[in-house]
Amino acid sequence: MKRKQTGLTRQYGAALRKHLKQGPRASLQRAQGLGRQAMALGLETLDLARIHEQAVIKLVLPSYSPGTRDAMVRRAGTFFAEAITPIEKTHRIAREANAHLSQVNHSLRRRTVELTASNRQLKQEIVQRKSAQEALRRSEQHSRQLLEQSRRMQEQLRLLSRQLLSAQEDERKKISREL
């Protein structure tokens, strides 16, 4: 990693030197390429700023006139701004992705709360249904007992009715014989 960064530092210095020699008509494509390369190495804006600072210190000599130095520094600043563009784009994309992720997390938390409440309600309904089912089972059992008791009572009533009829018939026969 350190060796690759050293290689990038040399490339950056050479590209900046060439850019400064070409003057205002210089292309900034190389700066963007170096920015993409720095990003691929995992460097951040501050790392690239250090590399830029070292290159500017080497290239902008105090022997130049103040006007020349100012122009070189401005062109070097433009070069740097172009070099950090790929890194800054990824930061913007990362911020947007992070904001979207935060929204999704918020939505998931809300849905989790809703699902928890729904699960709690379902559990209560299950308890209620089980108790209703148990009450129905007991009611069915009680109804069976009552039905069985009713059948026994009907049978007893039939038996008593037969006995009553038989007793009445016997009584009639007895009265009839007496007459």
Side-chain angles (χ1 to χ4, degrees), residues 28-39:
L28 293 170
Q29 285 182 338
R30 183 67 182 133
Q32 281 189 352
L34 289 168
R36 284 190 293 278
Q37 193 175 348
M39 190 175 65

Side-chain angles (χ1 to χ4, degrees), residues 19-110:
H19 178 76
L20 292 175
K21 282 183 183 177
Q22 289 176 351
R25 59 179 169 56
S27 169
L28 293 170
Q29 285 182 338
R30 183 67 182 133
Q32 281 189 352
L34 289 168
R36 284 190 293 278
Q37 193 175 348
M39 190 175 65
L41 290 173
L43 299 179
E44 294 290 330
T45 304
L46 190 57
D47 299 320
L48 198 55
R50 286 186 192 116
I51 292 171
H52 176 76
E53 179 185 32
Q54 291 170 0
V56 168
I57 289 171
K58 286 180 185 176
L59 295 174
V60 180
L61 300 174
S63 61
Y64 291 128
S65 71
T68 304
R69 272 196 315 254
D70 288 346
M72 288 176 79
V73 168
R74 275 194 305 280
R75 286 195 307 274
T78 304
F79 187 85
F80 175 71
E82 200 63 31
I84 64 170
T85 300
I87 296 172
E88 292 303 313
K89 282 181 182 176
T90 60
H91 287 194
R92 181 179 46 80
I93 292 169
R95 279 192 307 272
E96 289 170 359
N98 195 21
H100 178 69
L101 186 60
S102 292
Q103 288 175 344
V104 169
N105 279 337
H106 176 72
S107 177
L108 283 174
R109 279 192 293 275
R110 190 182 76 247

Side-chain angles (χ1 to χ4, degrees), residues 39-172:
M39 190 175 65
L41 290 173
L43 299 179
E44 294 290 330
T45 304
L46 190 57
D47 299 320
L48 198 55
R50 286 186 192 116
I51 292 171
H52 176 76
E53 179 185 32
Q54 291 170 0
V56 168
I57 289 171
K58 286 180 185 176
L59 295 174
V60 180
L61 300 174
S63 61
Y64 291 128
S65 71
T68 304
R69 272 196 315 254
D70 288 346
M72 288 176 79
V73 168
R74 275 194 305 280
R75 286 195 307 274
T78 304
F79 187 85
F80 175 71
E82 200 63 31
I84 64 170
T85 300
I87 296 172
E88 292 303 313
K89 282 181 182 176
T90 60
H91 287 194
R92 181 179 46 80
I93 292 169
R95 279 192 307 272
E96 289 170 359
N98 195 21
H100 178 69
L101 186 60
S102 292
Q103 288 175 344
V104 169
N105 279 337
H106 176 72
S107 177
L108 283 174
R109 279 192 293 275
R110 190 182 76 247
R111 286 292 296 145
T112 300
V113 168
E114 290 172 0
L115 286 173
T116 301
S118 179
N119 281 340
R120 193 176 310 116
Q121 184 179 2
L122 284 173
K123 285 179 182 178
Q124 288 174 350
E125 287 177 10
I126 288 171
V127 168
Q128 288 172 350
R129 287 177 189 222
K130 283 184 178 182
S131 73
Q133 186 178 12
E134 179 62 27
L136 283 172
R137 189 187 60 74
R138 283 192 306 261
S139 174
E140 180 185 19
Q141 189 177 20
H142 182 68
S143 295
R144 277 192 204 132
Q145 289 172 350
L146 289 175
L147 184 61
E148 184 59 36
Q149 186 180 7
S150 171
R151 284 187 190 138
R152 282 193 309 265
M153 291 175 92
Q154 279 180 340
E155 192 60 39
Q156 285 177 347
L157 186 58
R158 279 190 208 113
L159 183 62
L160 286 173
S161 293
R162 272 190 242 127
Q163 286 175 353
L164 181 63
L165 284 174
S166 179
Q168 284 177 348
E169 193 62 36
D170 287 344
E171 187 68 31
R172 280 188 202 123

